[in-house]
Amino acid sequence: MTTTSEIQAPLPQPDAPTRGPALLTLRAVALPAQLALFVCLFTGVPVPDAVLLGGKLLLLVLLGAEAYVWSRLRRLGLSRRQALARLVPERVARYVAHEARILASLVRWVVRRPHGVGEADGVFPHARDQAAMVYGLTFVCVAETVALSFLLPRWPVVHAVVLVVDVYTVLFVLGMHAAAVTRPHVLAGGVLRIRQAAHVDIHLPVARIASVRRASLFTHAKKAGELNLPIGSQTSITLELTEPVNAPKLLGTPRLVQVIRLHADDPKSLYDAVNQARTAPVSAPQDAD
């Protein structure tokens, strides 16, 4: 079982370069320095030319070091994903990948191109019951942005920062809903793909499902070994598994679960499809004449 938010760590490679003390020290110096320069330039604080030049040179050195390590990893035979896992901290990579999926979902929502539904035996949307709440929250965020634009004109720096944060918040709220719309639950090839927004994507073989039942629940107490994926505070399907499976959290922390509760716009269709897949006879391969 895998998740799309999960980045597989490569197997240990002999003599493979990685984030050594020199590169880590360079990052620790260069990144805060770049941030400080950006804040100064953004707020209009004068920066001496020598300091600005030094910051640019430091950034070039950091980029060169990163490119050098990347090229060595690739020459040693590591794939792009393995090299990325060696070069970038896993939590950072996961977070960036999550934000990228949010933005990509907005585009998919506009062009109406769901993700991962090709050759599916069944597609089960699950975002309908949260739409009203999401649109209401989006309206509140837009109203706040407009109100603050009238309250902060005397402080242009504060106004610019707040505007960026507010616009990103609106995009994030809509992006989370877009991810739910464009990433439905999918049943294909005896595997149930359970998803929520852009951070949960579980590939669960139906053979591991011990029982499935319809049960509308609106309260979900946190318990060890249970995963609740409510939409609009509601779950409508409960899956009990034959053995625990790993459903990693957003930043990769392992999480073993044996009970999964999820929601679908049409829970009966999902219930019937899973039951049919569980009881479908396995055809034996025929010997060639």
Side-chain angles (χ1 to χ4, degrees):
M1 188 277 298
T2 59
T3 64
T4 55
S5 61
E6 186 175 4
I7 296 179
Q8 300 291 335
L11 296 175
Q13 300 287 335
D15 300 327
T18 186
R19 301 185 299 272
L23 184 57
L24 292 177
T25 301
L26 188 58
R27 286 179 179 177
V29 174
L31 295 180
Q34 297 304 314
L35 179 61
L37 285 175
F38 173 79
V39 172
C40 291
L41 294 173
F42 186 79
T43 56
V45 175
V47 179
D49 293 340
V51 175
L52 190 59
L53 178 61
K56 292 180 179 179
L57 292 176
L58 191 59
L59 179 60
L60 289 176
V61 171
L62 176 61
L63 293 177
E66 301 279 6
Y68 171 74
V69 175
W70 170 271
S71 63
R72 286 197 60 191
L73 289 170
R74 295 287 287 142
R75 285 198 300 269
L76 287 171
L78 274 68
S79 67
R80 289 187 178 90
R81 174 170 290 189
Q82 290 173 330
L84 180 65
R86 279 297 187 95
L87 196 59
V88 180
E90 182 184 7
R91 291 177 178 269
V92 175
R94 285 178 176 271
Y95 180 78
V96 172
H98 175 263
E99 298 301 297
R101 287 193 297 271
I102 290 289
L103 297 178
S105 296
L106 283 169
V107 177
R108 286 183 172 274
W109 191 27
V110 172
V111 300
R112 298 188 178 185
R113 292 187 59 186
H115 176 272
V117 298
E119 301 181 356
D121 300 323
V123 177
F124 310 97
H126 58 265
R128 181 186 62 196
D129 292 339
Q130 72 175 15
M133 179 188 66
V134 170
Y135 295 146
L137 182 59
T138 301
F139 174 78
V140 171
C141 292
V142 172
E144 179 193 20
T145 302
V146 174
L148 289 176
S149 68
F150 287 101
L151 295 175
L152 299 175
R154 297 181 181 178
W155 301 278
V157 174
V158 176
H159 177 249
V161 172
V162 171
L163 180 61
V164 170
V165 173
D166 284 345
V167 170
Y168 180 77
T169 301
V170 172
L171 291 176
F172 184 82
V173 172
L174 288 176
M176 290 289 286
H177 181 60
V181 172
T182 59
R183 295 169 179 267
H185 306 309
V186 174
L187 182 62
V191 176
L192 177 62
R193 191 172 184 180
I194 302 171
R195 302 194 277 190
Q196 186 180 59
H199 59 283
V200 175
D201 194 346
I202 304 171
H203 295 250
L204 179 65
V206 294
R208 290 193 179 185
I209 300 177
S211 67
V212 53
R213 65 178 184 273
R214 293 177 59 187
S216 295
L217 300 176
F218 294 89
T219 58
H220 305 87
K222 291 185 178 181
K223 294 182 181 179
E226 297 184 358
L227 176 62
N228 298 307
L229 304 174
I231 297 294
S233 302
Q234 177 186 5
T235 58
S236 52
I237 298 289
T238 299
L239 304 175
E240 294 186 3
L241 311 183
T242 57
E243 58 182 301
V245 298
N246 184 29
K249 298 180 181 180
L250 174 62
L251 298 182
T253 304
R255 175 175 52 187
L256 294 178
V257 298
Q258 198 163 355
V259 175
I260 300 177
R261 298 186 181 92
L262 61 148
H263 182 63
D265 294 346
D266 186 356
K268 183 179 184 304
S269 294
L270 178 56
Y271 172 83
D272 292 341
V274 172
N275 266 331
Q276 183 177 359
R278 291 177 59 235
T279 58
V282 180
S283 59
Q286 297 181 355
D287 296 332
D289 293 337

